[in-house]
Amino acid sequence: MRVWWATTLMMSWGSARARLLSGARERAMRPLSSLAGAKGGASGGETRSPSSGGGVANAAWCGGVPTGMRSRRALAFTSGAALLSGLRGGRRLLATMAPPETTTSSSGHESFRLVREERIVEYAALCRLYEHESTKAQVLSIAAEDENKVFGITFRTPPRDSTGLPHILEHSVLCGSEKYPTKEPFVELLKGSLQTFLNAFTYPDRTCYPVASQNAEDLKNLARVYMDAVFFPRARRDPRVLAQEGWHYEVDENEELSYKGVVYNEMKGVYSSPDALMSRAAQQALFPDNAYRHDSGGDPERIPDLTFDDFAKFHDEFYHPSNARVFVYGDVSDVSEAERLALVADYLDRFEKGRPEETAVGRQPRRFDEPLSLRVPFPGGADAKHMLTVNWLVADEPLAPTDE
């Protein structure tokens, strides 16, 4: 359960939590029937079904921090700044929203079935989990009396090497798409939309695309731009995008060839940071056998190894609805349940079930019975100081959904 929902909640639950907390005390005692019966909302009372157990990889996929936040693009936010405030307040939701084995009800939309419905009284929210019939993509819709509205889509993208492919692809998909062929729609949205949050993030095992707005029509437009970008990017057919965002050759002022590229330059800066180098060394030491031993952000020495064929294949494999989780949050009187499902279905219905390979991160068995000590050098000047970090591999066996 943690594998599938930690991703979407990591990118979006923080926003919902921060905003809900401000009014939760007053709203907690209100009846939630108004949420269920609001404009076009799906009907049905509270239903429950058995939770599926957490797999071995489930615990692993909750960890990690962004390896690359869009360095050259402004982090735009006003009241949406809390969007990534964390999962601590969402533990109850994580523990109760595990996908069950059976259908509980009709969704009211022909492309989806309602998997589960639950009221979270503490946050005055009604949560509905849907499954897309053809692709099995899952959509978590949260109805709450909040003027802020959030959309997010997340893909599980464990790296197979340190070329930075997930990070470069995160940049590249926002460089034009099938329906929005402009060079950088992301920049245009920053300037011309009513967004309160707009960004994208690459983690060690997932890539998140969250947007937020207080205007319903603006949110729907932002969601369409993002879904078109991730599913039908110009980068998939145009090698020039990879060259721009990933790496390319340039002739410097000394008439010598050098590497350039948005992500390449960004990661050169990251690898000059002692904190980043220490964190990377600790992660690789703790997880030598699974995807966490690689750098999803990209090692500058390995980034030039990335080819366009590998780039295109990675998008085909991982950026498919069957490997996606969608999150929609806000007041259903602004964006109804039916509108939410129709918005997502416009894109998911273009796909069939696919993705031949499993994308779960394998578990990391404990390989040492006594403390392991590493000494890692880092660049520094005359006043450079030593740094120390202590880390534990706390779970090498499967965890239950309710385990902390």
Side-chain angles (χ1 to χ4, degrees), residues 132-137 316-324 348 351-359:
H132 188 244
E133 293 283 6
S134 60
T135 65
K136 306 306 177 185
D316 292 345
E317 180 178 351
F318 292 100
Y319 278 62
H320 188 279
S322 59
N323 191 46
L348 300 191
F351 293 85
E352 296 180 355
K353 186 177 180 181
R355 199 191 83 247
E357 296 187 26
E358 176 56 52
T359 60

Side-chain angles (χ1 to χ4, degrees), residues 34-42 216-217 220 332-339:
S34 60
L35 294 178
K39 177 184 175 184
E217 291 303 317
K220 288 188 281 187
V332 291
S333 64
D334 296 326
V335 183
S336 71
E337 201 78 2
E339 288 177 307

Side-chain angles (χ1 to χ4, degrees), residues 219-234:
L219 181 79
K220 288 188 281 187
N221 181 58
L222 292 168
R224 291 187 189 100
V225 173
Y226 261 38
M227 285 191 286
D228 204 71
V230 298
F231 290 127
F232 309 108
R234 178 172 67 94

Side-chain angles (χ1 to χ4, degrees), residues 1-2 51 54 91-92 94-96 399-404:
M1 181 277 296
R2 291 192 177 196
S51 298
R91 284 173 180 158
R92 175 180 174 81
L94 284 171
T96 58
L399 296 175
T402 54
D403 288 341
E404 292 291 333

Side-chain angles (χ1 to χ4, degrees), residues 163-193:
T163 59
L165 210 167
H167 186 191
I168 295 171
L169 188 56
E170 173 238 307
H171 279 248
S172 299
V173 299
L174 297 176
C175 290
S177 63
E178 179 182 271
K179 189 176 180 181
Y180 306 97
T182 59
K183 182 179 179 181
E184 288 195 326
F186 184 92
V187 176
E188 298 303 318
L189 291 175
L190 283 175
K191 297 186 296 183
S193 73

Side-chain angles (χ1 to χ4, degrees), residues 201-353:
F201 302 93
T202 300
Y203 287 80
D205 47 22
R206 61 194 180 274
T207 307
C208 310
Y209 298 89
V211 292
S213 178
Q214 294 185 346
N215 181 280
E217 291 303 317
D218 187 54
L219 181 79
K220 288 188 281 187
N221 181 58
L222 292 168
R224 291 187 189 100
V225 173
Y226 261 38
M227 285 191 286
D228 204 71
V230 298
F231 290 127
F232 309 108
R234 178 172 67 94
R236 174 62 183 82
R237 60 185 184 277
D238 188 349
R240 292 175 297 180
V241 178
L242 171 60
Q244 171 185 293
E245 300 297 322
W247 72 276
H248 60 272
Y249 292 110
E250 279 192 12
V251 178
D252 61 21
E253 61 275 8
N254 297 321
E255 298 187 352
E256 295 181 356
L257 281 178
S258 62
Y259 294 120
K260 297 292 182 180
V262 174
V263 171
Y264 180 82
N265 293 339
E266 176 185 337
M267 295 311 295
K268 282 181 64 178
V270 171
Y271 271 62
S272 67
S273 164
D275 292 297
L277 292 175
M278 182 173 64
S279 176
R280 178 173 181 267
Q283 179 171 298
Q284 291 178 328
L286 288 174
F287 301 99
D289 301 315
N290 60 22
Y292 297 131
R293 71 182 184 273
H294 303 302
D295 189 343
S296 63
D299 183 335
E301 292 186 357
R302 295 294 314 281
I303 288 176
D305 295 336
L306 178 60
T307 67
F308 181 74
D309 286 343
D310 291 337
F311 179 81
K313 290 177 182 177
F314 191 90
H315 179 269
D316 292 345
E317 180 178 351
F318 292 100
Y319 278 62
H320 188 279
S322 59
N323 191 46
R325 295 297 179 266
V326 181
F327 175 88
V328 187
Y329 164 85
D331 196 325
V332 291
S333 64
D334 296 326
V335 183
S336 71
E337 201 78 2
E339 288 177 307
R340 298 178 185 198
L341 295 178
L343 178 67
V344 178
D346 284 344
Y347 284 89
L348 300 191
D349 286 348
R350 297 177 63 177
F351 293 85
E352 296 180 355
K353 186 177 180 181

Side-chain angles (χ1 to χ4, degrees), residues 86-157:
L87 290 172
R88 185 173 301 171
R91 284 173 180 158
R92 175 180 174 81
L93 185 63
L94 284 171
T96 58
M97 289 298 292
E101 298 178 356
T102 59
T103 304
T104 62
S105 175
S106 171
S107 69
H109 191 287
E110 60 182 7
S111 297
F112 295 91
R113 67 181 180 92
L114 177 61
V115 176
R116 187 185 184 122
E117 178 179 292
E118 182 166 344
R119 303 173 190 276
I120 308 298
V121 177
E122 295 90 332
Y123 299 109
L126 177 61
C127 304
R128 290 191 178 101
L129 176 64
Y130 299 94
E131 183 178 81
H132 188 244
E133 293 283 6
S134 60
T135 65
K136 306 306 177 185
Q138 293 186 344
V139 179
L140 178 60
S141 175
I142 297 183
E145 294 180 6
D146 192 336
E147 63 183 1
N148 295 287
K149 289 157 274 290
V150 182
F151 170 86
I153 184 167
T154 293
F155 300 90
R156 188 160 55 182
T157 54

